[in-house]
């Protein structure tokens, strides 16, 4: 009987029991990016427009990624390649300084557009499937265009800079705000400025992101055995275990009191995940 194989790198193929065909998404192409987005227009909430008009300066605060709109289109001059157009919506919080020493926190929206070209292969098949909906009959679902699926992974950006600018011009429409989804507007709990303010704020953000193109594929993979958990659930039944005994088996959370110097897992990480009860 071969030794139990855990998920991870395979040393040899002697323990393979069978080959199975699975249906999953295969990554055809991917890229990572570190964007320094300069002079990104800041659209404040209406309640902060007067504060910005009277502000002497602004400083960076924090930014939160709300949503990324993603669209995939084939490249006409290069078969198998696709453009991935992304629009990032941010909730940005800045510090506006007036005549008094204490700053005023202002909140608003920033929008960033990004495009990449990745290889996604070709496929002309129409895909049909049935999907069960509770209380409804099975509905045939058809993908009319067999295009790859774009997946965008991103973290909250870093606010690198913020500055005020005077503007005497007026605009009837601000193109950056024409396609803001309603649920993004609802995140601000108030109406946003249309962009026709006398003073404007431009923000510089640092954004890390990963973009990849995936397709539904059938892959042949080796199987070693059924994946059975090794950890017992003996302490999770809520029976008559001594709570003090359970508490004594938990390692002291040093990391909660002192920030770690590295990102490596502590040596006793597996022990702290699964502690046993006293007899």
């Amino acid at each position: 009987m071969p030794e139990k194989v855990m998920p991870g790198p395979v040393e040899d193929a002697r323990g393979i029991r069978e080959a199975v065909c699975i249906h999953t998404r295969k990554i055809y192409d991917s890229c990572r990016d570190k964007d320094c987005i300069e002079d990104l227009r800041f659209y404040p909430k209406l309640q902060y427009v007067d504060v910005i008009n009277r502000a002497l300066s602004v400083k960076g605060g924090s930014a939160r990624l709300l949503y990324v709109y993603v669209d995939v289109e084939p490249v006409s001059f290069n078969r198998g390649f696709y453009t991935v157009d992304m629009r990032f919506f941010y909730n940005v919080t800045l510090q506006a300084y007036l005549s008094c020493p204490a700053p005023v926190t202002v909140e608003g929206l920033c929008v960033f557009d990004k495009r990449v070209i990745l290889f996604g292969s070709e496929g002309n098949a129409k895909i049909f499937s049935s999907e069960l909906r509770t209380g409804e009959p099975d509905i045939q679902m058809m993908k009319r265009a067999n295009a790859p699926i774009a997946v965008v992974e991103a973290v909250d950006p870093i606010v690198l800079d913020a500055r005020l600018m005077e503007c005497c011009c007026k605009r009837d429409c601000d193109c950056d705000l024409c396609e803001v989804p309603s649920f993004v507007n609802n995140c601000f709990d108030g109406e946003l400025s249309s962009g026709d303010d006398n003073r404007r704020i431009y923000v510089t953000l640092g954004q890390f992101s990963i973009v990849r193109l995936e397709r539904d594929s059938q892959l042949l993979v080796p199987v070693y055995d059924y994946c059975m958990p090794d950890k017992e659930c003996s302490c999770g039944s809520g029976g008559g275990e001594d709570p003090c005994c359970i508490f004594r088996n938990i390692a002291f959370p040093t990391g909660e009191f002192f920030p770690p110097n590295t990102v490596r897992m502590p040596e006793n990480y597996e022990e702290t995940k699964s502690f046993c009860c006293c007899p």
Side-chain angles (χ1 to χ4, degrees):
M1 186 68 180
E3 296 182 359
K4 183 175 180 62
V5 179
M6 301 299 293
V10 179
E11 297 294 338
D12 55 64
R14 291 178 297 176
I16 298 177
R17 300 188 59 177
E18 62 175 323
V20 298
C21 186
I22 64 171
H23 181 268
T24 186
R25 288 183 181 177
K26 178 182 177 181
I27 300 175
Y28 278 80
D29 199 3
S30 63
C31 64
R32 64 179 183 182
D33 226 340
K34 183 171 66 174
D35 295 297
C36 183
I37 315 166
E38 297 181 284
D39 296 334
L40 200 60
R41 180 71 189 279
F42 176 79
Y43 301 95
K45 295 170 62 174
L46 283 178
Q47 66 189 79
Y48 299 124
V49 172
D50 182 63
V51 175
I52 294 175
N53 290 334
R54 296 184 293 111
L56 301 176
S57 64
V58 291
K59 290 187 178 180
S62 61
R64 181 166 57 95
L65 179 60
L66 298 175
Y67 180 72
V68 181
Y69 172 79
V70 186
D71 182 55
V72 179
E73 295 294 339
V75 178
S76 57
F77 56 85
N78 202 347
R79 294 179 59 182
F81 285 82
Y82 296 81
T83 60
V84 181
D85 291 292
M86 296 157 279
R87 172 162 283 195
F88 294 72
F89 298 93
Y90 303 106
N91 183 335
V92 179
T93 301
L94 303 175
Q95 303 296 324
Y97 288 85
L98 307 178
S99 57
C100 57
V104 178
T105 301
V106 296
E107 181 185 2
L109 170 72
C110 285
V111 181
F112 168 54
D113 292 321
K114 177 182 176 67
R115 167 178 287 187
V116 299
I117 297 179
L118 295 174
F119 176 75
S121 189
E122 294 181 284
N124 298 317
K126 294 183 178 179
I127 303 174
F128 299 84
S129 65
S130 62
E131 182 178 337
L132 175 63
R133 298 184 179 180
T134 305
E136 299 180 12
D138 290 353
I139 300 177
Q140 289 291 330
M141 309 294 292
M142 183 182 76
K143 290 179 62 177
R144 300 184 181 273
N146 190 18
I149 299 172
V151 178
V152 179
E153 296 183 6
V155 297
D156 288 336
I158 304 171
V159 179
L160 302 175
D161 189 26
R163 58 189 178 90
L164 276 170
M165 285 192 64
E166 300 287 344
C167 182
C168 58
C169 59
K170 296 284 185 178
R171 292 184 293 176
D172 296 330
C173 174
D174 197 309
C175 298
D176 290 338
L177 294 179
C178 290
E179 297 182 0
V180 177
S182 58
F183 65 87
V184 172
N185 282 322
N186 295 336
C187 294
F188 292 92
D189 192 24
E191 188 176 355
L192 295 171
S193 171
S194 61
D196 291 331
D197 310 317
N198 293 330
R199 306 187 76 187
R200 300 176 182 176
I201 296 179
Y202 291 90
V203 181
T204 299
L205 300 179
Q207 177 69 72
F208 296 92
S209 62
I210 296 176
V211 185
R212 62 178 183 264
L213 283 183
E214 304 175 347
R215 277 188 179 276
D216 287 346
S217 304
Q218 294 185 15
L219 302 177
L220 188 66
V221 298
V223 173
Y224 294 93
D225 205 341
Y226 289 104
C227 187
M228 293 295 295
D230 292 329
K231 181 178 63 177
E232 296 184 359
C233 303
S234 57
C235 292
S237 59
E241 295 87 359
D242 183 2
C244 291
C245 180
I246 296 176
F247 179 76
R248 282 193 294 269
N249 282 277
I250 301 177
F252 189 85
T254 307
E256 298 294 329
F257 295 88
F258 304 96
N261 294 324
T262 65
V263 295
R264 296 178 56 187
M265 290 292 184
E267 295 180 358
N268 62 342
Y269 176 70
E270 293 296 332
E271 298 177 3
T272 57
K273 287 201 307 181
S274 175
F275 51 85
C276 62
C277 300
C278 294

